[in-house]
Amino acid sequence: MNHAAAFLADPPQSPAVTAVYQADVASDGYVNNLTRAWCWRPDVLASFQAVRADLLADSGLSPREVAVMVAATAAARRDAYCALAWGSRLAELSDEATAARVLQGVDGGLSDREAALAGWSRQVVQDPNATTQADVDRLRDAGLNDQEIFEATTWIAFRLAFSTVNDALGARPDPQLAEKAPRLVREAVTYGRAV
């Protein structure tokens, strides 16, 4: 059993599991702890990844806006794993200080659209039943159209589902992920499971 990776043992080897592990090694240089948990059903992982990709394929949301949403969602959810991964991604698309601020719940350095998306992300995580027409209107005022608002909300919900599986099954952030993260991003992630 791989207690350091997650609460579950590693799944039995199969061609599907091996393929997913090899894809991780090819892209990241190692098998991610979350992949070990998700590979109890590699078919579900593949389907989930495909539907997320489909959502963003024709979206008007920029890669940086997507990274802002995931970083804000991970921080509001107190998910260290996704905060380290997407904080690093946001740092690549902006800068280290901006990414760290988003992970701390501060929107300085963001465009109006990005700040609106970060705030919406936090609101959807904390209490989706408390959203109002005025909240949606604020997104419109920041320049988002209704399709983008739907896409953003669905993306946040997909990220919440992914984080919930990872966190509930005890997937720890990979040491390699933390080592690769910019210093300010690492310092901002003071919550969630330890590396």
Side-chain angles (χ1 to χ4, degrees):
M1 291 181 65
N2 189 346
H3 290 291
F7 298 148
L8 302 179
D10 284 351
Q13 286 299 309
S14 70
V17 169
T18 299
V20 175
Y21 284 7
Q22 287 173 343
D24 265 14
V25 171
S27 67
D28 300 330
Y30 60 95
V31 178
N32 292 278
N33 289 338
L34 66 86
T35 301
R36 296 175 194 281
W38 278 89
C39 270
W40 278 98
R41 288 292 305 272
D43 58 325
V44 173
L45 174 61
S47 295
F48 193 62
Q49 290 169 330
V51 76
R52 288 186 313 187
D54 288 347
L55 175 67
L56 295 181
D58 294 319
S59 175
L61 299 169
S62 73
R64 181 171 151 147
E65 289 169 342
V66 168
V68 165
M69 286 189 300
V70 181
T73 297
R77 176 74 180 68
R78 304 187 58 74
D79 174 10
Y81 208 137
C82 289
L84 287 167
W86 283 87
S88 295
R89 177 78 176 123
L90 181 55
E92 291 171 6
L93 295 169
S94 59
D95 58 75
E96 188 176 336
T98 298
R101 283 192 298 270
V102 171
L103 292 171
Q104 295 166 331
V106 178
D107 297 335
L110 299 179
S111 71
D112 289 345
R113 271 177 65 105
E114 292 166 347
L117 287 166
W120 180 249
S121 298
R122 293 182 198 106
Q123 190 170 13
V124 170
V125 170
Q126 293 162 356
D127 191 353
N129 287 308
T131 62
T132 66
Q133 183 66 55
D135 298 321
V136 172
D137 289 343
R138 275 192 286 282
L139 292 166
R140 288 183 182 128
D141 291 344
L144 289 126
N145 63 41
D146 284 9
Q147 179 174 322
E148 291 168 332
I149 294 167
F150 171 81
E151 291 164 345
T153 306
T154 305
W155 180 252
I156 295 161
F158 286 170
R159 294 308 310 182
L160 282 171
F162 191 72
S163 291
T164 299
V165 172
N166 297 340
D167 290 344
L169 295 178
R172 293 178 175 274
D174 307 289
Q176 300 93 325
L177 178 65
E179 290 166 12
K180 186 175 82 172
R183 179 184 59 82
L184 293 178
V185 167
R186 280 194 315 272
E187 290 174 357
V189 181
T190 59
Y191 41 77
R193 296 200 183 277
V195 174

